[in-house]
Amino acid sequence: MTITANWSYPTAIKFGAGRIKELADHCKALGIKKPLLITDRGLAPMPITQNALDILDAAGLGRALFADVDSNPTDVNLAAGVKAFKEGGHDGVIAFGGGSGLDLGKCVAFMAGQTRPVWDFEDIGDWWTRASVEGIAPIIAVPTTAGTGSEVGRASVITNSETHTKKVIFHPKFLPAVTICDPELTVGMPKVITAGTGMDAFAHCLEAYCSPFYHPMSAGIALEGLRLVKEYLPRAYKDGTDIEARAHMMSAAAMGAVAFQKGLGAIHSLSHPVGAIYNTHHGMTNAVVMPPVLRFNRPAIEDKIGMAAAYLGISGGFDGFYDYVLKLREELGVPDKLSALGVGTDRIDEMAAMAIVDPTAGGNPVELTLEAAKQLFRDCI
Ligand SMILES: [Fe+2]
């Protein structure tokens, strides 16, 4: 089997090793003549980024780069990105990188066409209909990690730099017109990022699968995503050049994000305030809080997890699955407690208050009350 394919779900996905070389062709097909490549600071000088710029340059599309992007991108990064986009006379965005580059890139393309502040487009009710669709620039997404799944998503997470809260900004036009999934771009990922991003994909599949909302299509995708992570994340972690494992992890990441339209849950509700306050790695934070959340949700998900365990070839139902998660974490060097990520107990009340109003809290199978969130944070720290 060759792991190369063109998919049209949920957007056009050009999947396969080496396919970054098609970048300029896709710009041209979308009518983009002056793209702005947006990525984070760390990735900007890397050979994969420079190679992408070379491909654009060679096709006469310039090599414009905006990389003033924090690991948890903020409204300040966003304003600077929109300014760079407008001043440079750009007509399309290449959102390049992990969650930060992808989310900020998508949001810049969107905000380039808006006059209202970004917070007016938070993912609440029909707020997205406030947007003016005309000026939104076309987006090509190029993921360089395998976790966030933002390359197939219709939202970006932007941190409010004043309140230190993470907000989900939503519009259907955030969905990239084309996504290039080239697993070769993920080969250089350090082990800790492979682990963290991979566990984010796992958390997306797990929480989507467990959420109580009716969406059997997403449940099916989540289940197969879990299987891909189980089979290939340890391999990708052990040998970063294992391109087959890298490819399947890239699929699992996209699948996790497709699946989580069914909902997320308390893993993400706890992880978001921790990330916003302590700037921890999102996926790694998810991995740390996963076992306490599984225990908390057990009464509501025991049967479901039993079915998933059977599909994954794990014996012992819920307990077997729980032990598997602990073992997987250990194998990937995930710390047992949030304290190892620098999180103290002094801000539990504040974080719990943020967790219960996080948009993901509503998808948790057991109601996440303030008391429950405080107790979960105590368990996790
Ligand atoms: Fe996530």
Side-chain angles (χ1 to χ4, degrees):
M1 181 183 66
T2 320
I3 315 177
T4 300
N6 295 334
W7 296 324
S8 301
Y9 183 75
T11 184
I13 301 179
K14 310 298 171 184
F15 195 97
R19 297 196 68 177
I20 188 65
K21 64 175 183 288
E22 298 171 18
L23 180 60
D25 299 337
H26 295 303
C27 284
K28 287 179 179 168
L30 291 168
I32 301 173
K33 294 188 180 70
K34 213 177 172 202
L36 178 63
L37 191 147
I38 297 182
T39 193
D40 63 78
R41 276 184 213 100
L43 217 49
M46 299 284 193
I48 50 169
T49 313
Q50 292 305 315
N51 177 51
L53 291 170
D54 289 345
I55 290 166
L56 296 174
D57 209 2
L61 300 170
R63 51 183 316 119
L65 172 70
F66 176 80
D68 201 4
V69 181
D70 295 317
S71 53
N72 288 301
T74 65
D75 48 346
V76 177
N77 300 152
L78 178 61
V82 172
K83 188 164 176 272
F85 183 90
K86 287 184 173 165
E87 287 181 358
H90 297 289
D91 55 2
V93 166
I94 295 163
F96 189 97
S100 352
L102 293 173
D103 276 12
L104 196 85
K106 287 160 59 181
C107 212
V108 166
F110 172 76
M111 288 304 292
Q114 311 308 320
T115 48
R116 303 172 70 135
V118 67
W119 312 123
D120 282 7
F121 306 106
E122 196 184 337
D123 189 10
I124 296 174
D126 64 353
W127 285 17
W128 63 273
T129 58
R130 297 166 166 177
S132 143
V133 179
E134 257 162 55
I136 303 173
I139 302 159
I140 297 177
V142 183
T144 63
T145 66
T148 163
S150 179
E151 66 274 15
V152 294
R154 299 177 300 167
S156 285
V157 179
I158 303 292
T159 300
N160 185 316
S161 57
E162 276 168 30
T163 62
H164 294 281
T165 49
K166 287 191 166 194
K167 299 285 180 195
V168 178
I169 311 299
F170 170 88
H171 193 278
K173 285 274 182 188
F174 272 59
L175 187 67
V178 175
T179 287
I180 299 176
C181 283
D182 182 344
E184 281 180 358
L185 303 183
T186 68
V187 161
M189 246 196 299
K191 267 181 157 22
V192 64
I193 306 293
T194 299
T197 50
M199 287 306 283
D200 191 25
F202 189 81
H204 294 157
C205 292
L206 176 63
E207 295 211 286
Y209 176 75
C210 291
S211 99
F213 304 120
Y214 182 69
H215 200 322
M217 286 183 270
S218 288
I221 290 169
L223 203 50
E224 175 65 359
L226 289 174
R227 189 189 69 80
L228 289 176
V229 175
K230 177 171 179 281
E231 203 147 321
Y232 296 103
L233 180 54
R235 262 177 62 176
Y237 181 75
K238 224 171 280 161
D239 174 9
T241 66
D242 183 338
I243 204 75
E244 187 192 355
R246 290 292 198 188
H248 287 304
M249 279 309 299
M250 208 158 215
S251 290
M255 291 163 77
V258 169
F260 74 54
Q261 34 180 302
K262 182 173 179 289
L264 286 170
I267 293 172
H268 276 79
S269 325
L270 299 184
S271 176
H272 285 157
V274 172
I277 292 176
Y278 295 95
N279 217 22
T280 55
H281 186 271
H282 170 68
M284 197 51 93
T285 314
N286 289 345
V288 176
V289 305
M290 196 174 284
V293 172
L294 276 171
R295 290 198 302 268
F296 174 69
N297 286 338
R298 180 172 187 155
I301 61 172
E302 185 147 9
D303 292 348
K304 263 188 191 174
I305 290 290
M307 284 193 283
Y311 178 66
L312 297 172
I314 297 168
S315 58
F318 182 93
D319 289 319
F321 183 84
Y322 183 81
D323 290 344
Y324 157 72
V325 168
L326 294 184
K327 241 178 265 148
L328 176 66
R329 291 198 328 164
E330 214 178 293
E331 203 176 342
L332 301 175
V334 174
D336 188 40
K337 297 289 178 196
L338 287 176
S339 46
L341 302 181
V343 179
T345 52
D346 49 322
R347 296 179 78 170
I348 284 182
D349 289 356
E350 184 188 349
M351 291 196 294
M354 289 159 81
I356 59 167
V357 297
D358 192 89
T360 61
N364 199 61
V366 174
E367 193 195 346
L368 186 66
T369 61
L370 186 63
E371 261 326 297
K374 284 183 192 171
Q375 186 55 48
L376 277 166
F377 274 122
R378 282 193 286 269
D379 292 347
C380 295
I381 299 170

